[in-house]
Amino acid sequence: MKTSTISVALALVVSMASAAPSTTWHETRQVKDRLARVKLSGGDDKSFKWEIFPLDAEWYPIYNPLRVNSVSTPDNVTCQFSGTEGSATTLIGEHSGFIYVSPPQPQKSASCYQSY
């Protein structure tokens, strides 16, 4: 009797897990890889660099001499940036536009985490 009760409970858990709604590629990427994609754009709007940052709220160096004019991301994340000339820029959530860096300057570090 005890074995059949455990088997039924296990089967119920497995069936509930398989009935969970599927996630999109975008949601799966954020959860599994725990990475943020950030676009750093130069003042001429022609130069840019994609950077990838872990979503762990730690600060990571940016080795890019581009004088950044704006930052954006297609991901639902929050990122903070520190510029070489003292700028502090915060990008909150998924933005279709840009957050401007003032004055434009190379960025020295960034910290990102999942927005909810």
Side-chain angles (χ1 to χ4, degrees), residues 65-69 82-88 101-107:
L66 177 70
R67 291 190 68 79
V68 175
N69 184 51
S82 176
T84 60
E85 299 169 17
S87 71
V101 175
S102 182
Q105 59 195 270
Q107 299 300 291

Side-chain angles (χ1 to χ4, degrees), residues 29 34-38 49-54 60 75 112:
R29 182 186 174 280
R34 304 283 301 154
L35 298 172
R37 298 170 295 162
V38 177
K49 173 79 166 109
W50 283 98
E51 296 280 350
I52 305 293
F53 299 103
Y60 291 91
D75 299 325
C112 296

Side-chain angles (χ1 to χ4, degrees), residues 19-89:
S22 64
T23 57
T24 65
W25 173 86
H26 182 72
E27 293 166 333
T28 302
R29 182 186 174 280
Q30 285 188 16
V31 171
K32 287 186 179 177
D33 292 348
R34 304 283 301 154
L35 298 172
R37 298 170 295 162
V38 177
K39 184 179 180 181
L40 306 176
S41 298
D44 60 7
D45 290 327
K46 294 178 185 171
S47 58
F48 66 90
K49 173 79 166 109
W50 283 98
E51 296 280 350
I52 305 293
F53 299 103
L55 293 175
D56 60 5
E58 295 291 325
W59 285 91
Y60 291 91
I62 299 174
Y63 302 106
N64 184 352
L66 177 70
R67 291 190 68 79
V68 175
N69 184 51
S70 63
V71 294
S72 64
T73 181
D75 299 325
N76 190 23
V77 298
T78 297
C79 294
Q80 297 175 309
F81 300 89
S82 176
T84 60
E85 299 169 17
S87 71
T89 307

